[in-house]
Amino acid sequence: INTDKTGNAYTEMLPYGKYVVKETYTPNDYETATDFTFTISQDESEIKNNAQKTLRIVVNNEQLESYLKLVKKDKTTGKIVTVSSASFKIKATEDIIDRATKEIIWHKGDYITQKIGMTTYDTFTTNSKNLIISEKKHSFSSIFDDLGTVVTPLKLPVGNYQIEEIEAPEGFLDLEENIQFEISSIKDYDKDKDGDYIKTIEVLNEQPKANIDLTKEIVFRNKDVDLSLVDISDLSKIEFKITAKEDILDKADNSVIYKKGDVVGNYNLSKEGKLEINNLPIGTYNLEETKTIDGLVINKEPIEIAFKKEGLYGEDIRVETEFDNLTTIHRIKATGDGRELARVRICWIGI
């Protein structure tokens, strides 16, 4: 049987018995009604009151709504970010309408707010090991949510929305663009233990990487030096080493990428005396020369290079070592990966 425009549906006369009613088609943006039973136990002729000759059953459909679960992950590794929190706002990208009353709940462009008790929340913050929301008085977070996640305390009605990240986790780049999503009549969401729908969205951020460009120049200070003593036409046998000056940690879960003292890599210069070292995680490193060519002296003085996420920034430094009439000059430039990244501090480590 099908309902008419007024929402009513009628059966033919039914014989005695117990029946099960199952809703096989549901209007858009509504939840399917639970199956129910009814019983026919009297014949129409036995019922004196005409009003009682028709069994009236009211079937209620709830408007489709869903909780929203945000999961913060590292874009490269897929790890859930559990060390520090991310905060989000949710914006309506169309008028959000109550399907029953046709009234507008939120206008297009409004930020979603949810009131729990006497507090109205307009920001949603993931749970983390270092959860601090004291300065975010209107930010909702729950220590009972899984680490790296936040679930809205109330459901969102059907409609189109966008997620805006207003604070990235410590050690991560800002989200490149807002995330569009829809709460729709397609009921393919997860369900919680109470059977309520939960739409899950993964929000992916990258950890910044750092690059080092090194150029080695050979400078003869004494014009009378015998150039035949040193062949500088090929500098590819000169080698440098990078070691971790501190534990280098993955900002997603604080796992150790390099332990303090670990050798990150050994690198040879190009024939022209250039070297590129790319994709270093944020942290502090020592750079030192380990091999050189005949006629040059090794600079045994390590150089500290520290990368911190404080904005894209690069510095040049000239490091000179002298030996007789021969001086080698290293020009080192530390850079980011083209986006907000690292304030680079390069300094001497002492003789």
Side-chain angles (χ1 to χ4, degrees):
I1 59 174
N2 297 311
T3 56
D4 58 24
K5 292 181 179 180
T6 65
N8 295 315
Y10 302 90
T11 67
E12 301 291 337
M13 291 293 185
L14 297 174
Y16 291 119
K18 186 174 184 179
Y19 297 85
V20 177
V21 179
K22 182 180 183 69
E23 187 174 48
T24 57
Y25 177 81
T26 306
N28 286 338
D29 305 332
Y30 286 86
E31 293 190 34
T32 301
T34 304
D35 295 353
F36 62 91
T37 61
F38 68 91
T39 301
I40 301 296
S41 58
Q42 288 182 293
D43 185 81
E44 180 188 19
S45 62
E46 299 173 352
I47 302 174
K48 304 301 182 183
N49 188 336
N50 287 334
Q52 296 178 353
K53 291 185 177 184
T54 300
L55 179 62
R56 289 175 171 80
I57 300 174
V58 177
V59 180
N60 291 318
N61 291 86
E62 294 185 8
Q63 295 187 59
L64 178 65
E65 296 178 313
S66 176
Y67 292 107
L68 178 65
K69 179 179 182 179
L70 301 178
V71 183
K72 171 58 67 176
K73 286 190 173 184
D74 184 303
K75 186 175 182 179
T76 302
T77 66
K79 289 183 178 181
I80 295 177
V81 181
T82 59
V83 176
S84 57
S85 299
S87 294
F88 306 93
K89 286 183 178 291
I90 304 169
K91 180 187 286 185
T93 56
E94 66 177 1
D95 290 345
I96 306 299
I97 299 172
D98 186 309
R99 263 49 182 179
T101 65
K102 306 303 180 184
E103 295 181 354
I104 295 177
I105 305 173
W106 292 293
H107 289 88
K108 179 179 179 180
D110 285 349
Y111 286 105
I112 304 308
T113 59
Q114 296 190 335
K115 186 176 182 180
I116 306 295
M118 299 301 293
T119 303
T120 299
Y121 298 100
D122 61 6
T123 304
F124 306 91
T125 298
T126 58
N127 186 22
S128 72
K129 296 174 184 176
N130 297 309
L131 177 63
I132 301 175
I133 57 172
S134 58
E135 297 180 359
K136 309 183 187 76
K137 296 181 180 179
H138 301 289
S139 180
F140 175 83
S141 187
S142 173
I143 61 173
F144 300 107
D145 286 339
D146 294 335
L147 290 175
T149 72
V150 60
V151 179
T152 55
L154 301 177
K155 299 177 184 179
L156 294 176
V158 166
N160 286 283
Y161 305 85
Q162 77 177 16
I163 298 165
E164 298 179 3
E165 185 176 67
I166 61 171
E167 184 174 344
E170 182 180 350
F172 280 81
L173 297 170
D174 292 338
L175 193 65
E176 293 181 357
E177 58 184 19
N178 297 327
I179 298 174
Q180 312 295 318
F181 72 95
E182 180 182 12
I183 302 295
S184 71
S185 58
I186 301 174
K187 306 175 182 66
D188 60 351
Y189 309 142
D190 295 330
K191 290 187 177 181
D192 64 14
K193 62 181 180 180
D194 299 318
D196 293 318
Y197 291 114
I198 301 178
K199 183 177 181 68
T200 301
I201 296 178
E202 295 182 352
V203 183
L204 308 179
N205 293 59
E206 290 186 272
Q207 296 189 52
K209 301 294 184 182
N211 308 319
I212 295 176
D213 295 327
L214 184 149
T215 300
K216 187 176 182 73
E217 299 176 1
I218 311 300
V219 178
F220 296 94
R221 295 190 181 278
N222 190 332
K223 295 180 180 180
D224 298 327
V225 67
D226 186 355
L227 297 181
S228 65
L229 298 176
V230 182
D231 181 7
I232 60 172
S233 63
D234 183 357
L235 302 181
S236 62
K237 293 183 180 180
I238 298 176
E239 184 178 281
F240 285 83
K241 176 177 70 175
I242 288 187
T243 57
K245 191 176 186 296
E246 62 184 0
D247 285 347
I248 307 298
L249 304 178
D250 187 325
K251 301 301 182 181
D253 58 2
N254 265 354
S255 59
V256 178
I257 302 172
Y258 299 113
K259 292 182 179 180
K260 180 179 179 180
D262 280 355
V263 176
V264 176
N266 294 286
Y267 309 91
N268 284 82
L269 299 180
S270 68
K271 181 178 179 180
E272 296 77 19
K274 297 183 181 298
L275 173 63
E276 279 190 22
I277 303 170
N278 298 318
N279 297 320
L280 291 172
I282 285 179
T284 304
Y285 301 86
N286 283 338
L287 174 67
E288 58 184 307
E289 189 175 34
T290 55
K291 292 181 182 179
T292 190
I293 57 177
D294 291 340
L296 300 184
V297 62
I298 290 180
N299 178 6
K300 295 183 178 181
E301 192 169 341
I303 301 167
E304 180 185 287
I305 303 178
F307 297 96
K308 300 182 184 299
K309 182 180 178 292
E310 297 178 1
L312 183 59
Y313 184 79
E315 292 183 8
D316 287 345
I317 185 170
R318 295 172 68 86
V319 181
E320 299 185 8
T321 61
E322 294 187 6
F323 179 73
D324 291 334
N325 294 325
L326 187 63
T327 301
T328 66
I329 298 178
H330 307 162
R331 186 187 304 276
I332 302 171
K333 183 178 182 182
T335 67
D337 59 0
R339 292 176 295 167
E340 179 186 2
L341 168 64
R343 180 171 299 280
V344 181
R345 179 167 56 86
I346 304 176
C347 63
W348 287 99
I349 297 178
I351 289 182

